[in-house]
């Protein structure tokens, strides 16, 4: 058995079968909170604890403190009664990763470079708030709820702890990264555990270093619950309920900034969700700033203004949702009327922490104290319009991007055409009004930044693929139609309706028709590929992705899916090429390594598994799948003691593989520790129900060690269950069989 190097004498496929089946199947369990860092530099007591809370997809006018009479948001409303409420806070982008990257760097998307979800990671040259605070002596922890904010995208830089434990199998299966979320309760529990551990004195008489905590909750993001009542408000209320535990744990003395990464269309202007447009429903978000100790005194309620009308709900859509305009009527300890931006959050948190951090935004914390500092800040706010961009129309629909700028009176939407309005009296921008030139000027530097147009493959990958008959032509010119996104609302609704069709063949037909009319519909092509696969048409599913990659060679989701389908088709070379491209584009994204390792496993190339999984583990040390496969490769072709380390690590970070004990047993056996091996084989008999291998391997090992009395029950069990003919089992039984009496 050991001679062939295979576990339990299984065939090559059998040996790796569990590995291959579980290749994309490993879990992350909540990690134990780390102890407080005892080595932080001494920090003066004027560095308060600082907390950033982001609630994904939370529209300002669905919060009670902003005037919604139908909201059930008691925690947000109570926080507002101790906070400065920003009446006109605007996100910089209607997409989770670009917007959060701005919140955590103080740089606009055109500067930090993250302009879409799931494309490229944050560059090392972009300074992060977390790194600055850590450098200033803070302990730093981040707890995110969506894979779209996974550490692979680089927002983890500067955080001591960055918890984003998403199951790789779910990541591989999800059509959109945004579909992967953790419940708020789980995220808050982990955050509170970290907060409390980090707050303990590292040794008697030595105070704990101050803490910077970022918590991201995902509840208001679709999908919404199907419970009776308004589904969006129900999800907002669910997130609100979890704030109680979080805010109680951080206590009244921490500085708290709560905001959202973007709002939600809710059929305002015809967009159900977010990404395509930049209306006020999408960019206006809540922002509450509570200084340490909070602001006391009676709440203020400035005169209300008209709410945002809903103008684009198709007949019958979201009938349970109350879309009546909500008055813009805030109530809070203090209210700031001037527009502020997500761009200002990092500077404000650094200002509260007393740690220098240069950004493109404004430090809003002087507004809390009043006086000349507040006057200066207001003057700066008046001189600086807030801006937003969306490249989603370009990158997902092949249309033109859209831009927004707003000052204290006017708002400008600018794309293929300009559209200005006086938003104070006309929140839905129904009537055209000339916007001042300053708004156009504010957009100029962002528009001048290079757009991430369809990428070019690196020469080596291109040559490899064209040699295989892929990508015979360069990306066609005119991958961008130049249509204005405001003209695409109906097309987007049609795509959503097509994608919602249950019958795969009807869905594929509808998607094909839409793509024929608009070749730039990138997401529709991904959906068409999935529909073809559902129908069992693997070649067609692959062809659709090849066409897409011909237009957008660097599309990460298309690369991932193309590699996975090539693997499924046992077409190794393109699978390795696509996976290699993923690793080159984002070396911190574990998916490329997983896909390449999957191919090497199938090819039984242990050396390649060791090399690629080894590199993957360097980049993503807590990836349970890569740890597990590296452990198996080490058992088979390397160092059994290293195998034990990797397999134990895979288990500690929550691998879902059920045969870890089998491999640990084999590793211990190879390392010469028979008693440890026996314990693992024993454990494997329980986790691998119905599998004869742990029984057989335990029996054969014990027989070879001349421990026949212990070996026989294992061997007899294997024999009774049909394994008697296996040569090693037979040899072991003969070796241990009682000597027959002489006739
Ligand atoms: Zn988001």
């Amino acid at each position: 058995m050991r001679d062939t190097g295979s576990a339990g004498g299984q065939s090559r496929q059998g040996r790796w079968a569990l590995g291959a089946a579980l290749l994309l199947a490993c879990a992350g369990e909540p990690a134990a909170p780390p102890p407080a860092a005892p080595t932080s530099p001494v920090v003066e007591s004027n560095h308060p604890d600082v907390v950033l809370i982001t609630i994904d997809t939370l529209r300002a006018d669905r919060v009670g403190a902003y005037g919604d009479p139908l909201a059930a948001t008691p925690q947000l409303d109570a926080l507002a009664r101790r906070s400065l409420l920003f009446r006109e806070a605007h996100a910089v982008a209607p997409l989770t990763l670009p917007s959060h990257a701005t919140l955590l760097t103080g740089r606009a998307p055109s500067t930090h470079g993250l302009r879409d979800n799931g494309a490229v990671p944050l560059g090392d040259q972009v300074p992060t708030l977390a790194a600055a605070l850590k450098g200033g002596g803070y302990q730093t922890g981040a707890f995110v709820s969506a894979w779209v904010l996974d550490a692979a995208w680089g927002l983890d830089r500067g955080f001591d702890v960055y918890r984003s434990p998403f199951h790789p199998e779910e990541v591989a299966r999800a059509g959109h990264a945004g579909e992967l979320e953790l419940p708020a309760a789980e995220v808050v529990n982990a955050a509170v555990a970290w907060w409390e551990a980090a707050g303990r004195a590292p040794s008697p008489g030595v105070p704990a270093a101050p803490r910077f905590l970022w918590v991201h909750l995902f509840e208001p993001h679709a999908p919404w619950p199907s419970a009776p009542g308004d589904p969006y408000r129900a999800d907002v209320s669910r997130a609100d309920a979890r704030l109680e535990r979080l805010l109680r744990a951080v206590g009244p003395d921490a500085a708290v900034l709560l905001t959202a990464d973007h709002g939600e269309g809710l059929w305002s202007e015809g967009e159900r969700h977010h990404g395509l447009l930049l209306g006020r429903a999408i960019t206006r978000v809540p922002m509450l700033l509570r200084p340490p100790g909070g602001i006391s005194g009676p709440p203020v309620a400035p005169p209300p203004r008209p709410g945002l009308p809903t103008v684009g709900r198709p007949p019958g859509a979201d009938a349970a949702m109350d879309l009546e305009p909500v008055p813009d009527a805030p109530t809070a300890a203090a209210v700031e009327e001037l527009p502020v931006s997500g761009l200002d959050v990092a500077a404000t948190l650094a200002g509260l922490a007393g740690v220098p951090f240069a950004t493109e935004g404004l430090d809003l914390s002087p507004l809390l104290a009043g006086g000349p500092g507040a006057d200066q800040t207001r003057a700066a706010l008046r001189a600086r319009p807030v801006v937003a961009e969306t490249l989603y129309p370009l990158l997902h629909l092949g249309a033109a991007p859209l831009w927004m700028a707003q000052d204290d009176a006017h708002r400008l939407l600018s794309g293929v055409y300009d559209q200005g309005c006086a938003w104070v009296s006309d929140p839905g921008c129904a009537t055209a009004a000339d916007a001042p030139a300053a708004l156009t000027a504010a957009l100029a530097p962002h528009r001048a930044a290079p757009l991430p147009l369809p990428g070019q493959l690196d020469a080596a990958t291109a040559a490899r693929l064209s040699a295989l008959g892929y990508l015979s032509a360069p990306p066609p010119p005119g991958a961008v139609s130049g249509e204005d996104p405001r003209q695409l609302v109906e097309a987007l609704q049609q795509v959503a309706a097509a994608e919602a069709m249950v019958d795969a063949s009807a869905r594929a037909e509808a998607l094909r028709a839409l793509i024929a009319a608009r070749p730039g519909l990138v997401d529709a092509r991904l959906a068409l590929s999935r529909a073809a696969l559902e129908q069992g048409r693997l070649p067609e599913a692959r062809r659709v992705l090849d066409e897409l990659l011909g237009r957008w060679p660097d599309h990460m989701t298309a690369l991932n899916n193309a590699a996975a389908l090539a693997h499924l088709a046992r077409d190794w070379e393109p699978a390795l090429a696509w996976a290699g491209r993923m690793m080159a584009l984002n070396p911190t994204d574990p998916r490329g390594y997983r896909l390449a390792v999957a191919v090497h496993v199938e090819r039984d190339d242990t050396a390649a598994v060791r090399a690629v999984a080894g590199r993957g583990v360097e980049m993503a040390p807590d990836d349970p799948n890569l740890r597990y496969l590296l452990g198996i490769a080490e058992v088979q072709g390397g160092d059994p003691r290293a195998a034990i380390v990797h397999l134990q690590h895979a288990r500690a970070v929550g691998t879902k593989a059920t045969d870890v004990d089998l491999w640990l047993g084999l590793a211990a056996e190879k390392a010469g520790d028979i008693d440890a091996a026996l314990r693992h084989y024993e454990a494997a008999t329980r986790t691998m129900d119905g599998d004869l291998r742990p029984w057989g391997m335990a029996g054969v090992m014990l027989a070879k060690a001349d421990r026949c009395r212990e070996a026989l029950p294992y061997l007899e069990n294997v024999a009774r269950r049909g394994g008697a003919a296996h040569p090693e089992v037979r040899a072991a039984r003969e070796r241990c069989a009682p000597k027959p009496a002489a006739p």
Side-chain angles (χ1 to χ4, degrees):
M1 202 177 286
R2 255 51 44 90
D3 299 336
T4 62
S6 69
Q10 299 292 300
S11 67
R12 183 176 67 78
Q13 269 94 348
R15 171 150 64 93
W16 284 104
L18 281 164
L22 288 157
L23 200 59
L24 301 169
C26 292
E29 291 289 314
T39 52
S40 298
V42 175
V43 173
E44 295 156 36
S45 57
N46 61 351
H47 296 297
D49 290 325
V50 173
V51 179
L52 170 64
I53 302 170
T54 57
I55 302 181
D56 212 288
T57 323
L58 179 56
R59 216 171 113 155
D61 68 0
R62 291 299 186 271
V63 176
Y66 277 81
D68 184 7
L70 302 179
T73 53
Q75 302 303 325
L76 284 161
D77 303 347
L79 181 65
R81 285 194 294 275
R82 309 283 288 165
S83 300
L84 172 60
L85 177 151
F86 293 91
R87 192 172 188 175
E88 280 295 312
H90 289 268
V92 297
L95 297 168
T96 305
L97 181 61
S99 186
H100 276 96
T102 292
L103 294 173
L104 291 155
T105 65
R107 279 144 181 86
S110 57
T111 313
H112 63 56
L114 302 194
R115 305 178 86 176
D116 194 10
N117 292 329
V120 293
L122 189 69
D124 289 341
Q125 78 286 0
V126 183
T128 65
L129 172 68
L133 293 181
K134 186 178 164 74
Y138 272 74
Q139 306 179 72
T140 50
F143 298 82
V144 302
S145 296
W147 183 78
V148 71
L149 296 177
D150 187 79
W153 311 114
L155 297 190
D156 60 325
R157 186 147 42 83
F159 283 104
D160 301 327
V161 172
Y162 192 96
R163 186 177 179 277
S164 57
F166 296 97
H167 194 297
E169 185 182 28
E170 289 157 7
V171 171
R173 276 189 198 150
H176 303 282
E179 289 168 4
L180 291 166
E181 63 176 286
L182 295 174
E186 189 183 325
V187 176
V188 166
N189 284 344
V192 167
W194 175 82
W195 180 267
E196 289 173 350
R200 280 180 212 121
S203 55
V206 179
R211 294 159 284 189
F212 169 49
L213 168 66
W214 168 35
V215 177
H216 163 253
L217 304 181
F218 203 62
E219 261 62 12
H221 196 285
W224 300 315
S226 51
D230 186 317
Y232 179 76
R233 284 184 170 95
D235 256 357
V236 171
S237 171
R238 203 159 297 178
D240 180 87
R242 299 300 171 190
L243 292 177
E244 182 177 17
R245 171 142 201 259
L246 179 62
L247 291 170
R248 200 174 52 232
V250 305
D253 293 333
V256 175
L257 193 154
L258 182 145
T259 189
D261 57 346
H262 49 77
E264 185 74 316
L266 304 179
W267 301 114
S268 154
E269 304 176 71
E271 190 178 24
R272 188 178 190 224
H273 298 302
H274 54 270
L276 182 69
L277 301 177
L278 291 175
R280 283 168 54 80
I282 302 291
T283 67
R284 185 170 174 248
V285 290
M287 194 186 290
L288 304 173
L289 178 57
R290 190 193 74 182
I295 304 172
S296 39
V300 299
R305 292 197 286 252
L308 192 62
T310 300
V311 293
R313 166 155 55 177
D318 287 324
M321 219 176 259
D322 187 321
L323 297 179
E324 286 303 304
V326 171
D328 170 5
T331 307
V335 175
E336 176 54 57
E337 298 279 347
L338 290 168
V340 300
S341 165
L343 195 62
D344 305 326
V345 165
T348 303
L349 294 176
L352 287 164
V355 171
F357 181 57
T359 76
E360 296 168 8
L362 293 167
D363 177 0
L364 304 174
S365 65
L367 295 169
L368 293 163
D375 293 342
Q376 275 172 23
T377 303
R378 285 204 185 89
L381 286 173
R382 267 191 206 94
R384 193 271 331 246
V386 298
V387 304
E389 68 164 44
T390 180
L391 267 52
Y392 183 94
L394 172 74
L395 301 174
H396 296 258
L397 304 167
L402 192 62
W403 310 84
M404 182 283 287
Q406 180 181 315
D407 63 14
D408 56 0
H410 290 91
R411 185 175 173 88
L412 172 69
L413 280 179
S414 186
V416 172
Y417 56 90
D418 280 357
Q419 179 186 358
C421 73
W423 63 266
V424 179
S425 56
D426 177 17
C429 286
T431 309
D434 283 342
L439 295 188
T440 306
L443 293 177
H446 304 286
R447 300 183 85 143
L451 293 172
L453 283 165
Q456 296 294 329
L457 285 179
D458 63 285
T461 308
R464 201 168 172 189
L465 289 169
S466 63
L468 291 158
Y470 288 86
L471 286 183
S472 49
V480 177
S481 73
E483 276 180 293
D484 191 277
R486 286 162 284 187
Q487 293 157 346
L488 287 182
V489 168
E490 209 181 316
L492 197 65
Q493 288 174 14
Q494 287 166 348
V495 172
E499 287 188 24
M501 288 180 181
V502 177
D503 179 65
S505 117
R507 191 186 331 137
E509 197 176 320
L511 288 167
R512 257 186 239 111
L514 290 167
I515 293 165
R518 273 203 175 76
L521 292 177
V522 172
D523 292 359
R525 288 174 187 267
L526 293 172
L528 177 58
S529 172
R530 287 195 297 273
L533 190 64
E534 256 180 76
Q535 294 172 277
R537 294 152 71 156
L538 180 57
E540 187 189 335
R542 296 185 64 197
R543 197 164 54 244
V544 170
L545 293 175
D546 288 344
E547 283 162 15
L548 174 51
L549 286 166
R551 298 175 75 91
W552 300 91
D554 285 350
H555 195 287
M556 210 59 172
T557 308
L559 285 170
N560 180 70
N561 295 2
L565 294 190
H567 174 261
L568 198 61
R570 308 185 69 78
D571 193 0
W572 309 133
E573 282 305 320
L576 288 176
W578 302 133
R581 186 66 190 149
M582 291 178 75
M583 291 184 255
L585 283 171
N586 184 359
T588 57
D589 182 351
R591 291 177 300 172
Y593 303 94
R594 280 191 214 125
L595 287 160
V597 169
V599 171
H600 297 314
V601 164
E602 292 286 347
R603 287 174 143 184
D604 205 18
D605 186 345
T606 304
V609 172
R610 279 179 80 195
V612 179
R615 256 167 54 219
V617 160
E618 271 172 41
M619 291 294 185
D622 288 341
D623 187 289
N625 181 263
L626 290 171
R627 282 278 177 194
Y628 165 72
L629 291 171
L630 183 55
I632 295 177
E634 290 288 354
V635 174
Q636 296 192 330
D639 174 1
R641 295 190 189 280
I644 291 170
V645 171
H646 293 305
L647 291 165
Q648 299 281 23
H649 194 118
R651 174 166 282 169
V653 292
T655 178
K656 280 190 176 168
T658 54
D659 63 349
V660 175
D661 272 305
L662 185 79
W663 296 106
L664 278 168
L666 187 58
E669 186 182 348
K670 284 192 165 187
D673 188 345
I674 289 181
D675 290 324
L678 185 58
R679 281 196 300 277
H680 286 299
Y681 288 144
E682 262 296 324
T685 63
R686 293 187 289 273
T687 55
M688 299 171 69
D689 196 26
D691 194 317
L692 293 184
R693 283 179 294 164
W695 299 91
M697 290 167 75
V700 169
M701 174 184 75
L702 291 166
K704 286 192 175 172
D706 285 326
R707 288 163 66 167
C708 283
R709 203 173 52 80
E710 293 164 87
L712 277 171
Y714 291 104
L715 294 170
E716 291 315 309
N717 188 5
V718 172
R720 265 202 313 279
R721 291 159 68 188
H726 191 284
E728 289 204 55
V729 172
R730 200 170 56 210
R733 287 178 77 212
E734 278 165 13
R735 182 177 186 144
C736 284
K739 297 282 173 283

